[in-house]
Amino acid sequence: MTTAKAPGIFSFEMDAKAEDTPDLEILTFENGNFPDETITYGEIVSKGRKLAKQLQDMGFVQGDVLALIMRNHPEFVYALYATTAIGAVLLPIDPRNKGNRLQYVLKDSKTKGVIFSSEFTENASRALAGLPDIQVAGVVRKEGMPEIVKSQWTDLSAILEGPEAGEPENRCTDPNAIMEIIYTSGTTGDPKGVVLKHARIAPYSMLAQLVFQYKPDDKLYTGLSLTHGNAQAVTLIPALYLGIPAVISCKFTKSRIWDICRKHGCTTFSLLGGMMMGIYSEPVKENDADNPVRLVLSAGTPHAIWESFENRFGVLIHEWYGAVEGGFAHKPPGVGPIGSFGKPLEGMMEMLIVREDDSECEPGEVGEIVARTPGQKTEVNYLGKKDASEKKTRGGWLRSGDMGHKDENGWLFFDYRKGGGLRRSGDFIQPGFVEAALALHPDVDDVCVYGIPAASGAPGESDLVAAVVASDGGAIDPAGLFKHCRENLEGNAVPSYLQVVDEIPKTASEKNLDRLLRDDFSADAANVFALTN
């Protein structure tokens, strides 16, 4: 087995894999109604070097930022090879970003060049119109996508299918150099760019082997965007570094996920809590448990559906907790209480629940989840935001911004995002339980429950809003849905309002963007229905 010349550096790791098994079909990109694309290690290196030459010809040098605006396609992997080879920095952007938000990320990151898929031409063009110094390094066009509209834009396929390119000169070998910038979801405001070093990704394969216990005969699957740390850490990097084939959908699909796993023989996949609720809300089918999946890696499984999900689909859930900034805990299947996200890795991570004054909470007491790695300085680098970086690691602890508690045996539980707890008539309401009840209604395809200031004016109190999407383009019967809620929820958990929408806006991690729903909410709107006694 060939050893990478610069272990851990993505491009060198791919060089070593391509030398040993150039024709191994390692990644399959599943494209919905259009043909799948399967790529080998040899193609990753060959096409990655062609793109690296293209970037160098454009003047890219170490530290320059290349932005990607597209769904999951092979070009993402080629771009990752190219940037890590020449020392440039990859900036994967959730393609759902548009307008001022997209322009903000491009400007904040000091992007030098951008690659986008032609389906997002309008979004990219509007953002680039105000940023004339950013070069278009190429446009990705797939079957079913619009034509490339400007003749001066390079069709990236012309580069990737063109003449071979040699090994780039002046390759990056420094594990502490910047490899990637991943922006936070921005669920409460402008997103922040988390700066990641090359050394960050090498442990992903060890985590996959020792904690998630991937096996050589596994086949991985994800529908999460590769712009999100989860898809990279749990699926992409372990697959490529360990030689375990993976299937990656161009975008998440809750209705076809089991069919995809059956078709490709996928044995494990990664989910986030919002995705799990969406899958669970699909109509029950007789063959739900007839699938090859043995293990679901989940971050944020709703307690209300945990056991039902396992039983219905015949899978085991390995729960875990972490963020792109750091911190990690997990709960293997069958260990610990349902609802817990586990415990930190002994000797490798410390995690506490603390009060505002940093004193440790008692079991059952809710406080902020903080973490640190023993013997290491706790660091977070938010691009260009020194004060925010220092605030995030105040006192040597990573401040998660998540509120949780532990039980008498040290098992950790997530309760709500700091500042986002919902209290109603003195009771704390868990939106996940309300969403679970609504998801079971046959007329509901997707749901997001959030709070607005209580009409009573009581400080800290919320009225509940349930934003719902009708199944199969049908209609929502508000009276019937309120009746369903009364029959399945405690009184204080019954929503005050139903907000009927065409879709629930999501982040790259498939989290509900409730702030956008909140911005659009009006009690007098035609799509909003109030609870009546």
Side-chain angles (χ1 to χ4, degrees):
M1 180 180 294
T2 302
T3 301
K5 293 179 181 178
I9 304 292
F10 182 82
S11 65
F12 283 104
E13 293 285 353
M14 294 303 96
D15 288 348
K17 291 292 187 183
E19 189 170 329
D20 288 341
T21 55
D23 299 322
L24 178 62
E25 295 183 339
I26 188 65
L27 297 178
T28 297
F29 286 82
E30 188 273 326
N31 292 318
N33 295 326
F34 299 101
D36 296 341
E37 296 177 87
T38 299
I39 64 175
T40 66
Y41 283 119
E43 288 176 295
I44 293 172
V45 172
S46 172
K47 294 183 179 182
R49 288 183 175 182
K50 293 175 186 179
L51 182 53
K53 182 179 185 303
Q54 163 80 350
L55 295 176
Q56 288 184 322
D57 288 346
M58 293 175 60
F60 269 75
V61 297
Q62 185 164 341
D64 285 340
V65 176
L66 174 70
L68 298 183
I69 306 172
M70 62 184 186
R71 301 191 194 275
N72 296 339
H73 299 296
E75 287 76 7
F76 181 99
V77 184
Y78 306 149
L80 183 58
Y81 180 97
T83 53
T84 57
I86 67 175
V89 178
L90 191 69
L91 169 63
I93 301 176
D94 179 1
R96 287 169 291 194
N97 281 294
K98 60 181 66 175
N100 292 337
R101 188 177 180 86
L102 176 56
Q103 193 171 77
Y104 169 86
V105 173
L106 292 171
K107 186 175 181 179
D108 185 67
S109 61
K110 297 179 173 61
T111 292
K112 179 168 183 172
V114 61
I115 292 173
F116 57 88
S117 60
S118 64
E119 69 174 312
F120 297 108
T121 294
E122 184 177 354
N123 290 356
S125 296
R126 288 181 177 177
L128 293 173
L131 301 168
D133 293 334
I134 296 179
Q135 305 175 69
V136 176
V139 179
V140 175
R141 182 176 182 271
K142 303 290 182 181
E143 186 176 349
M145 290 186 187
E147 297 287 343
I148 298 173
V149 298
K150 292 189 178 182
S151 59
Q152 68 267 34
W153 289 345
T154 300
D155 184 344
L156 198 62
S157 63
I159 301 297
L160 300 179
E161 301 302 331
E164 293 295 328
E167 181 177 358
E169 297 181 357
N170 303 317
R171 293 186 68 171
C172 177
T173 59
D174 181 5
N176 291 313
I178 300 174
M179 181 197 81
E180 191 174 19
I181 301 170
I182 293 183
Y183 274 76
T184 59
S185 300
T187 52
T188 57
D190 286 334
K192 296 185 287 291
V194 184
V195 176
L196 302 176
K197 300 176 180 178
H198 289 267
R200 174 67 181 269
I201 66 171
Y204 293 164
S205 56
M206 293 186 288
L207 187 72
Q209 284 183 303
L210 301 178
V211 177
F212 297 143
Q213 297 189 1
Y214 288 168
K215 302 174 182 178
D217 59 351
D218 269 330
K219 196 165 193 178
L220 315 182
Y221 172 74
T222 190
L224 271 168
S225 172
L226 291 171
T227 64
H228 188 258
N230 183 301
Q232 295 186 32
V234 181
T235 307
L236 180 68
I237 298 302
L240 291 172
Y241 279 34
L242 298 175
I244 300 174
V247 177
I248 301 173
S249 284
C250 64
K251 61 180 179 179
F252 170 63
T253 168
K254 62 175 186 160
S255 62
R256 295 192 304 110
I257 187 169
W258 299 110
D259 289 337
I260 293 169
C261 289
R262 293 183 187 105
K263 174 183 175 180
H264 294 281
C266 297
T267 57
T268 178
F269 62 72
S270 177
L271 284 180
L272 296 171
M275 301 166 71
M276 182 169 282
M277 185 65 76
I279 294 169
Y280 188 75
S281 70
E282 286 291 294
V284 175
K285 298 178 181 177
E286 290 184 0
N287 68 338
D288 276 341
D290 181 14
N291 65 75
V293 178
R294 65 176 181 85
L295 184 68
V296 173
L297 300 167
S298 175
T301 301
H303 181 280
I305 65 170
W306 189 313
E307 291 178 292
S308 297
F309 191 97
E310 287 188 319
N311 294 332
R312 174 178 165 183
F313 298 109
V315 298
L316 295 174
I317 294 173
H318 192 142
E319 184 73 7
W320 68 285
Y321 172 93
V324 68
E325 293 95 333
F328 182 82
H330 77 116
K331 190 189 89 65
V335 179
I338 295 295
S340 168
F341 63 74
K343 296 180 179 182
L345 295 172
E346 188 172 355
M348 298 179 66
M349 181 69 61
E350 294 180 69
M351 196 168 281
L352 300 178
I353 309 292
V354 299
R355 305 182 182 98
E356 288 288 338
D357 63 0
D358 277 357
S359 59
E360 188 172 0
C361 292
E362 296 295 326
E365 181 183 357
V366 175
E368 185 175 9
I369 302 167
V370 299
R372 69 182 178 187
T373 301
Q376 293 185 20
K377 183 180 179 181
T378 304
E379 291 182 296
V380 169
N381 183 359
Y382 287 130
L383 186 68
K385 294 176 173 59
K386 182 179 179 181
D387 290 347
S389 302
E390 292 176 350
K391 183 179 180 181
K392 189 72 173 179
T393 57
R394 176 175 52 84
W397 290 89
L398 179 69
R399 310 283 167 164
S400 70
D402 291 333
M403 304 298 286
H405 69 277
K406 65 179 180 181
D407 67 11
E408 294 286 349
N409 297 312
W411 292 100
L412 298 165
F413 296 78
F414 171 86
D415 287 294
Y416 54 88
R417 185 70 178 163
K418 196 172 186 179
L422 299 181
R423 191 176 67 181
R424 192 179 190 193
S425 300
D427 291 336
F428 271 101
I429 307 299
Q430 296 295 337
F433 282 92
V434 184
E435 290 170 348
L438 284 162
L440 290 174
H441 194 283
D443 291 345
V444 174
D445 183 63
D446 201 2
V447 57
C448 173
V449 173
Y450 63 91
I452 58 174
S456 66
E461 293 276 323
S462 297
D463 286 336
L464 268 61
V465 180
V468 293
V469 178
S471 297
D472 299 324
I476 294 291
D477 171 21
L481 203 51
F482 278 127
K483 181 175 183 291
H484 172 83
C485 289
R486 288 192 183 97
E487 293 172 349
N488 291 276
L489 293 166
E490 296 179 4
N492 279 342
V494 175
S496 309
Y497 300 95
L498 295 177
Q499 180 184 15
V500 181
V501 295
D502 293 332
E503 65 176 355
I504 305 293
K506 310 280 187 180
T507 68
S509 59
E510 294 299 325
K511 292 179 182 177
N512 295 329
L513 275 170
D514 56 84
R515 68 180 177 84
L516 298 182
L517 294 167
R518 190 178 291 109
D519 289 345
D520 290 339
F521 176 86
S522 170
D524 298 324
N527 68 325
V528 173
F529 304 88
L531 176 67
T532 56
N533 294 326

